[in-house]
Amino acid sequence: QIPIEEYLRDDHPLLSEREKLILAHRYTLHDDPAEQTLEKVGKAVGLSKERVRQVQASALDKLRKALGPTK
């Protein structure tokens, strides 16, 4: 099984650049440890909070499918 970090690498094709960016902001995978709300992430990347939610949901769904069933 591939570690989740592998899917977030720039050269991994599963997620789009936008999806990777939003997940990085939402789950503080970057240098800013402060909690990132949908609204804050939206302002940072130039999207509405609803669009951020949609992109995040899509990315998480792709990751769940790629990681397979949990036991």
Side-chain angles (χ1 to χ4, degrees):
Q1 185 174 357
I2 299 173
I4 195 165
E5 296 84 17
E6 191 70 21
Y7 294 106
L8 299 174
R9 287 186 20 205
D10 287 341
D11 62 343
H12 197 285
L14 178 68
L15 301 174
S16 70
E17 292 303 313
R18 178 180 280 179
E19 289 169 330
K20 291 173 189 175
L21 178 64
I22 286 174
L23 289 181
H25 278 281
R26 282 287 286 156
Y27 298 103
T28 60
L29 303 174
H30 50 77
D31 295 331
D32 183 6
E35 178 183 338
Q36 296 293 304
T37 63
L38 292 171
E39 187 172 6
K40 287 180 183 177
V41 173
K43 286 181 181 179
V45 298
L47 298 171
S48 70
K49 67 180 182 179
E50 175 59 21
R51 186 64 186 133
V52 169
R53 187 197 63 74
Q54 292 169 351
V55 172
Q56 174 187 290
S58 172
L60 292 176
D61 187 51
K62 287 180 184 179
L63 285 171
R64 279 187 202 99
K65 288 177 181 173
L67 292 171
T70 56
K71 296 179 181 176

